[in-house]
Amino acid sequence: MSNINVIDHPLILHKLTKMRDKNTSTAGFRRLLREISHLLCYEVTRNLELTTDSIETPMTKMSAPVLAGKKLVFASILRAGNGLLEGMLDLVPSARVAHVGLYRDHDTLEAIEYYFKAPDDISNRLVIVVDPMLATANSATAAIEKLKERGANNIKFLCLLAAPEGIEAFTRAQPDIPIYTAAIDSHLNENGYIVPGLGDAGDRMYGTK
Ligand code: PRP
Ligand code: URA
């Protein structure tokens, strides 16, 4: 599992526990996901390349660090990916955004696509795909295949919770793509839900169940 990065910062783990708690309200769940996404964003962007700009402070001229290269792309897997996306955009407001609409068929657990919109020029940009849950990995794999078809060639996948089964399937399908997650849980249940998990992320974010 060499392409797995577990971001187990104490603040993330504390907030994740609150999110897992079934008594946390919809509003609380959304707020916590936004807060955690700031912390995850900080780590997933840690190795971005820098260049320098010449600026003048009130005191003197200086050559100061700024991000190099083309703007990032954040690709949100709908619906629940938007919970991470919003917080990521708080930190990187100039990022471009792709939306990939997918839902899991309840019986087959296959990912069914219903929407796709991405910036035209995603090749040669870092594309960070975001979705809180990596369960079977069908959704993440389908989203990444679609983004690769559109030219993406530098991709990272960021989630909140991953199941060992999903990590294995993802690594087999996308061996070149690093996974960033806050936690690796025990297993998937017979319905494809992560255990102990946090339930259905989309439903908990939007109060749809
Ligand atoms: C959830 C979650 C992921 C997917 C993960 O979405 O947000 O996209 O399941 O499961 P997988 O790894 O087995 O594909 P869901 O299909 O419930 O849609 P929603 O976000 O619209 O609720
Ligand atoms: N999708 C979710 O929202 N939760 C899970 O546990 C698995 C897939």
Side-chain angles (χ1 to χ4, degrees):
M1 287 194 189
S2 57
N3 64 351
I4 274 274
N5 301 275
V6 180
I7 309 170
D8 52 359
H9 188 287
L11 287 177
I12 295 178
L13 295 183
H14 178 84
K15 291 174 192 294
L16 177 56
T17 298
K18 303 272 179 210
M19 289 183 72
R20 290 181 189 274
D21 187 338
K22 68 177 187 181
N23 294 316
T24 294
S25 67
T26 301
F29 189 90
R30 263 205 307 268
R31 179 181 47 76
L32 287 159
L33 184 54
R34 193 166 185 137
E35 290 171 3
I36 288 184
S37 64
H38 294 163
L39 300 160
L40 294 173
C41 183
Y42 184 77
E43 278 302 322
V44 78
T45 55
R46 177 175 286 283
N47 295 320
L48 290 184
E49 277 180 39
L50 292 171
T51 180
T52 52
D53 261 3
S54 299
I55 60 161
E56 228 172 297
T57 77
M59 313 301 292
T60 184
K61 291 184 176 174
M62 77 174 285
S63 173
V66 289
L67 294 176
K70 292 188 170 183
K71 303 264 188 297
L72 305 186
V73 176
F74 296 150
S76 169
I77 302 180
L78 305 177
R79 293 174 295 169
N82 278 5
L84 285 176
L85 171 70
E86 294 301 325
M88 305 270 292
L89 287 172
D90 288 340
L91 293 202
V92 191
S94 61
R96 307 306 192 226
V97 175
H99 290 96
V100 188
L102 295 170
Y103 70 88
R104 292 201 311 173
D105 180 282
H106 280 293
D107 298 322
T108 64
L109 301 182
E110 291 303 316
I112 314 290
E113 185 184 321
Y114 58 88
Y115 187 77
F116 182 81
K117 187 88 178 171
D120 283 338
D121 55 339
I122 55 175
S123 59
N124 304 317
R125 293 178 188 267
L126 172 61
V127 178
I128 302 178
V129 180
V130 299
D131 188 334
M133 311 303 275
L134 184 70
T136 63
N138 289 342
S139 304
T141 302
I144 286 167
E145 287 302 328
K146 191 83 190 176
L147 290 160
K148 281 184 168 175
E149 275 169 30
R150 279 291 292 273
N153 50 29
N154 183 13
I155 302 175
K156 296 180 183 206
F157 178 72
L158 174 66
C159 61
L160 185 59
L161 280 187
E165 296 90 330
I167 293 170
E168 199 186 317
F170 184 95
T171 306
R172 233 181 298 115
Q174 308 289 347
D176 54 322
I177 299 186
I179 302 170
Y180 292 77
T181 185
I184 301 173
D185 272 11
S186 164
H187 63 277
L188 292 182
N189 72 10
E190 61 284 4
N191 299 316
Y193 277 85
I194 299 176
V195 181
L198 49 72
D200 186 303
D203 284 339
R204 292 202 61 197
M205 270 181 66
Y206 295 117
T208 40
K209 237 177 214 154

